[in-house]
Amino acid sequence: MHANISRKVPPMISNVLQWEKRSAAFTSLRSLSENAAKAKETQSTLETSNPYYNKYKDKIARLKKEKPELFLDKLTALKIPEIESESSIQNSKCSPKDLTASQKTPALSCPNNFKGRNEVSSNGSQEFSLDKIMRVDLLKELPSDEIGTIWKKYHADKNFVCALITQSDYQHFQELMRNYPTFLLALPKTEGFEFIYSQGQFSSLLFTKLSSFQMYKENAPIILSLNFYTDLAASKEIVLMRGEYNADVLMPIEAQTLVNQHQLFYNRGVTDEDRERLKLVQTFNSNPDKFDYNELLKYIPGYGNS
């Protein structure tokens, strides 16, 4: 159509039309270049921040090779959610409703590669079965302190933290978890700290990074999973706990720190400070708009008065 018009217009106007076409082509190329740069940046972000990228990377590579234009369109249209910086969270109050203990709170799920996923009892009770780890019939013949020693030695060279808990302490802990299943912990790092979100489910306790939970909800990667085994509760009045952690994310001492911190807030409340800590747990679950991160940090060893 332009070819027919160009034969009928004066040379100057024809030159202008051709300049406009060249300009439009240049703009199109620049836009394509910018989109390609944006797509490359987006793909790089996905590779480092999305825990499911590796699962679909072959399909992504095939789409990129076979349909590059569609691949580019999908990537440039993708918006990567922004995560609040820890410094900004530290100076704010917790108010997001997705962190409450309401029925709408997304339930975290233990990843397939965690051994504990396969230790749930076959009777559907959501209780973890100790006999999938050890010979319970032999343990029943031993005193409680010796069972505790064997339990710790068994996990000494593995990516686990473990503990022996009295039955009464476990019952109290379970009561608190039923009423207040979610909470935040602050994991000390070389510079500052990192907030960790915890969620209790039946006989397990799951931990994930707060930033991951805000982005991926129930699909957030689990960095630590605690399982509680009640097989010996009736005969020995003890409950065995073991926590499996992602060694690519946590060091052994960091996994133990999270266990200790959680126990610090979910205890019997003997002292005034115990009761103050428990109030924070209650506020986080029942009235999150009034939860203050700075109050939490007061009770973290190395940051507050503890």
Side-chain angles (χ1 to χ4, degrees):
M1 183 175 180
H2 285 298
N4 293 332
I5 293 175
S6 65
R7 287 198 295 266
K8 298 178 182 179
V9 296
M12 184 177 4
I13 297 179
S14 178
N15 290 339
V16 170
L17 288 174
Q18 292 193 26
W19 180 88
E20 286 180 345
K21 284 201 280 187
R22 288 197 300 271
S23 178
F26 175 76
T27 301
S28 178
L29 285 172
R30 184 175 59 184
S31 177
L32 184 63
S33 176
E34 290 175 349
N35 285 343
K38 179 182 177 183
K40 184 176 182 181
E41 180 183 354
T42 302
Q43 184 178 4
S44 177
T45 304
L46 282 174
E47 292 174 4
T48 57
S49 67
N50 193 317
Y52 300 101
Y53 178 83
N54 287 334
K55 182 178 179 180
Y56 300 102
K57 66 179 181 180
D58 292 338
K59 292 183 178 180
I60 294 172
R62 189 161 55 250
L63 177 64
K64 183 178 180 180
K65 180 180 179 180
E66 297 175 357
K67 299 180 180 179
E69 292 184 359
L70 179 59
F71 171 78
L72 185 62
D73 288 342
K74 287 184 175 295
L75 273 188
T76 53
L78 184 62
K79 179 176 176 60
I80 302 297
E82 294 182 358
I83 301 298
E84 269 190 293
S85 66
E86 300 292 0
S87 59
S88 65
I89 292 177
Q90 178 182 353
N91 297 316
S92 65
K93 291 186 177 181
C94 176
S95 60
K97 293 183 179 180
D98 60 356
L99 297 181
T100 67
S102 68
Q103 294 180 348
K104 295 181 180 179
T105 302
L108 296 171
S109 58
C110 192
N112 291 326
N113 61 324
F114 273 48
K115 295 180 176 63
R117 188 181 181 92
N118 302 315
E119 293 165 5
V120 179
S121 175
S122 58
N123 62 14
S125 65
Q126 295 296 327
E127 295 286 335
F128 288 91
S129 181
L130 185 61
D131 61 10
K132 293 186 178 182
I133 305 173
M134 292 183 168
R135 290 279 303 276
V136 177
D137 57 333
L138 296 180
L139 291 178
K140 287 182 178 180
E141 304 299 322
L142 302 175
S144 297
D145 57 348
E146 190 170 341
I147 294 174
T149 300
I150 294 173
W151 185 247
K152 291 177 181 178
K153 285 184 177 180
Y154 176 79
H155 293 98
D157 57 349
K158 301 177 177 65
N159 288 340
F160 287 95
V161 290
C162 64
L164 183 150
I165 309 168
T166 66
Q167 182 186 20
S168 60
D169 283 344
Y170 178 72
Q171 289 174 339
H172 179 76
F173 170 75
Q174 280 291 84
E175 182 181 355
L176 289 177
M177 289 302 300
R178 281 193 294 270
N179 294 324
Y180 317 111
T182 61
F183 195 55
L184 281 190
L185 303 172
L187 181 62
K189 292 291 185 179
T190 304
E191 295 183 2
F193 53 86
E194 184 171 28
F195 283 117
I196 305 298
Y197 175 76
S198 64
Q199 185 180 97
Q201 299 177 11
F202 300 101
S203 296
S204 66
L205 180 60
L206 305 178
F207 299 78
T208 184
K209 294 181 180 181
L210 175 61
S211 58
S212 296
F213 183 75
Q214 289 175 324
M215 180 181 287
Y216 302 113
K217 305 304 180 187
E218 68 273 15
N219 295 317
I222 302 302
I223 61 174
L224 173 64
S225 173
L226 305 187
N227 298 335
F228 298 88
Y229 303 86
T230 59
D231 306 61
L232 301 173
S235 59
K236 299 294 181 180
E237 297 187 345
I238 59 173
V239 173
L240 298 177
M241 180 279 288
R242 78 170 185 173
E244 185 176 2
Y245 60 90
N246 185 340
D248 294 331
V249 179
L250 294 176
M251 295 186 294
I253 191 172
E254 290 179 320
Q256 188 63 57
T257 295
L258 291 176
V259 174
N260 294 344
Q261 270 194 36
H262 197 275
Q263 183 181 12
L264 192 66
F265 287 92
Y266 285 80
N267 61 33
R268 288 184 175 277
V270 176
T271 67
D272 290 340
E273 191 170 283
D274 289 337
R275 287 186 280 272
E276 287 299 316
R277 284 192 292 259
L278 184 57
K279 282 183 181 178
L280 284 178
V281 177
Q282 295 168 334
T283 300
F284 183 82
N285 284 267
S286 305
N287 200 358
D289 289 336
K290 294 186 177 180
F291 182 83
D292 190 343
Y293 288 90
N294 294 302
E295 289 297 313
L296 168 69
L297 296 177
K298 284 169 52 178
Y299 298 105
I300 302 301
Y303 289 98
N305 299 324
S306 301

